[in-house]
Amino acid sequence: ALDDLFTDLAALEFTMSPYKNWLNDFEEYLNISSVSQGTAALAATRSALTGNARAFGAKVAEFLDAPTFVRADGKLVVPWQHKQDIVMEAGIVKHSRLRMNYETDFRFQRRYIKNFETSVGLIFPNGHNGKFENPRVPHTFGYTRLYPVAEREAQMKQLIFVNLAIACAAVAATVMLILNPVVGFFVGVVVVAIDCIILALLTLYGSKLDFLAFLVLSMTIGLVVDYSTHTSYTYLQHAGTPDEKLLQSMSRMGASVLSGGGSTLLGISVLAFASSEAFRTFFKILGTAIFMGTLVGITVSPVLLRML
């Protein structure tokens, strides 16, 4: 069963050689060791090792110390090289691993998440709950350094949407209580629209929705809400015709909002030239949020209120 699982994993397009399966080499060692004694002796050896942990451990130890030999398929086997893949305690094989190379490219998020789901689906055909329960082969699990990243980011989109929705609702409720219910509701809708625009632009940029994006997007809520709140509140507080209220909102708050957004954007612009991809991603997301928040705050929000 384990050999079948290893074969299925090796057949995937994102796994590659060299393949290190010490069980196959051990099997070949048993065949070669018993070839002179006939098939009956080989069958007896296998029977003695089955279900006897100490006998099996002793034979594995013998195999690991054996000299180099050539398999029937012509492959050269160096038994001692498998010592790094086998953990023995008190003469018993406690843990071991079978190895193969796994495609590890952090640039293409959708691909490595799909690869993770495909490979884990082979190992845990009944579903994977993060606890290594009910594997296809008992007492086995798979691991590459990409697994934790892929598993986390497979759920990141849902986390981002849920947390942004909660944050937008909290901001809207706060503005309703502190300033004005109409302003709070309006700003909540505007912030949701801005977040959707930011997510769409990030997809256009080719940026990943990963843990860094989650953190920065959470920060943007507190930034983009200011721009629309100031102009909207000024519009509603001023008496007069819609045109007069629009003029008052722009003349009193327009320049301040533009100045605040521009200075903040200018302050983080140096991050666009950083050598670290994380800092550049920080600039892309935060810069997009500030630009869109300022643009909506001084153009879209007052005009929408004028039309209502």
Side-chain angles (χ1 to χ4, degrees), residues 149-195:
V149 177
E151 184 176 18
R152 181 186 67 211
E153 294 184 8
Q155 305 176 38
M156 193 54 64
K157 186 181 295 185
Q158 179 182 357
L159 287 174
I160 287 175
F161 291 158
V162 170
N163 283 275
L164 286 182
I166 294 173
C168 288
V171 166
T174 301
V175 176
M176 286 181 180
L177 292 173
I178 296 177
L179 295 180
N180 184 293
V182 176
V183 174
F185 177 77
F186 179 77
V187 169
V189 173
V190 170
V191 170
V192 170
I194 293 175
D195 284 337

Side-chain angles (χ1 to χ4, degrees), residues 15 25 53 64 89 114 136 188 236 252 292 308:
T15 58
D25 290 342
L64 294 176
E89 296 180 4
K114 181 181 177 182
R136 170 176 164 181
L236 293 175
R252 291 187 58 184
M292 293 306 304
L308 294 178

Side-chain angles (χ1 to χ4, degrees), residues 66-87:
T68 301
F69 63 91
V70 179
R71 291 168 51 111
D73 58 7
K75 176 186 173 183
L76 184 68
V77 177
V78 184
W80 65 264
Q81 291 183 343
H82 290 303
K83 289 185 177 181
Q84 62 180 316
D85 299 321
I86 302 172
V87 177

Side-chain angles (χ1 to χ4, degrees), residues 11-303:
L12 297 173
E13 63 175 350
F14 49 86
T15 58
M16 61 208 76
S17 61
Y19 303 102
K20 302 291 185 180
N21 187 340
W22 73 269
L23 285 172
N24 276 348
D25 290 342
F26 178 68
E27 182 81 12
E28 192 68 19
Y29 173 75
L30 292 179
N31 293 337
I32 293 175
S33 300
S34 305
V35 67
S36 61
Q37 302 174 24
T39 56
L42 177 59
T45 300
R46 292 178 185 279
S47 178
L49 297 180
T50 303
N52 190 329
R54 291 199 175 276
F56 180 76
K59 200 64 177 179
V60 170
E62 176 188 310
F63 160 69
L64 294 176
D65 293 329
T68 301
F69 63 91
V70 179
R71 291 168 51 111
D73 58 7
K75 176 186 173 183
L76 184 68
V77 177
V78 184
W80 65 264
Q81 291 183 343
H82 290 303
K83 289 185 177 181
Q84 62 180 316
D85 299 321
I86 302 172
V87 177
M88 301 189 66
E89 296 180 4
I92 296 175
V93 177
K94 299 294 290 185
H95 312 284
S96 72
R97 64 181 179 182
L98 310 182
R99 292 185 291 149
M100 64 184 69
N101 280 352
Y102 188 98
E103 179 183 291
T104 305
D105 191 340
F106 287 94
R107 294 176 299 171
F108 305 106
Q109 185 185 46
R110 183 177 299 177
R111 178 174 174 82
Y112 66 69
I113 290 177
K114 181 181 177 182
N115 292 350
F116 162 75
E117 292 173 344
T118 301
S119 57
V120 169
L122 284 175
I123 302 170
F124 299 93
N126 297 321
H128 175 248
N129 60 3
K131 297 180 180 179
F132 304 123
E133 295 177 345
N134 302 318
R136 170 176 164 181
V137 179
H139 311 298
T140 62
F141 65 93
Y143 179 81
T144 80
R145 70 188 184 95
L146 199 62
Y147 271 14
V149 177
E151 184 176 18
R152 181 186 67 211
E153 294 184 8
Q155 305 176 38
M156 193 54 64
K157 186 181 295 185
Q158 179 182 357
L159 287 174
I160 287 175
F161 291 158
V162 170
N163 283 275
L164 286 182
I166 294 173
C168 288
V171 166
T174 301
V175 176
M176 286 181 180
L177 292 173
I178 296 177
L179 295 180
N180 184 293
V182 176
V183 174
F185 177 77
F186 179 77
V187 169
V189 173
V190 170
V191 170
V192 170
I194 293 175
D195 284 337
C196 292
I197 294 172
I198 294 171
L199 289 171
L201 289 174
L202 290 181
T203 303
L204 185 63
Y205 296 158
S207 297
K208 298 188 296 183
L209 293 181
D210 55 10
F211 186 65
L212 177 61
F214 170 70
L215 291 177
V216 182
L217 284 168
S218 299
M219 294 172 54
T220 62
I221 298 295
L223 292 173
V224 300
V225 67
D226 288 346
Y227 309 123
S228 295
T229 300
H230 291 317
T231 52
S232 301
Y233 183 69
T234 303
Y235 179 93
L236 293 175
Q237 288 297 107
H238 186 73
T241 65
D243 288 337
E244 291 174 342
K245 296 168 73 172
L246 179 61
L247 177 62
Q248 185 70 9
S249 175
M250 286 292 91
S251 60
R252 291 187 58 184
M253 298 303 303
S256 299
V257 170
L258 183 62
S259 176
S263 61
T264 305
L265 189 61
L266 182 64
I268 66 170
S269 61
V270 293
L271 296 177
F273 309 100
S275 58
S276 171
E277 177 66 24
F279 284 117
R280 294 197 299 273
T281 301
F282 185 90
F283 169 76
K284 286 180 184 178
I285 300 175
L286 204 59
T288 300
I290 293 170
F291 176 77
M292 293 306 304
T294 304
L295 181 65
V296 170
I298 63 176
T299 59
V300 179
S301 294
V303 174

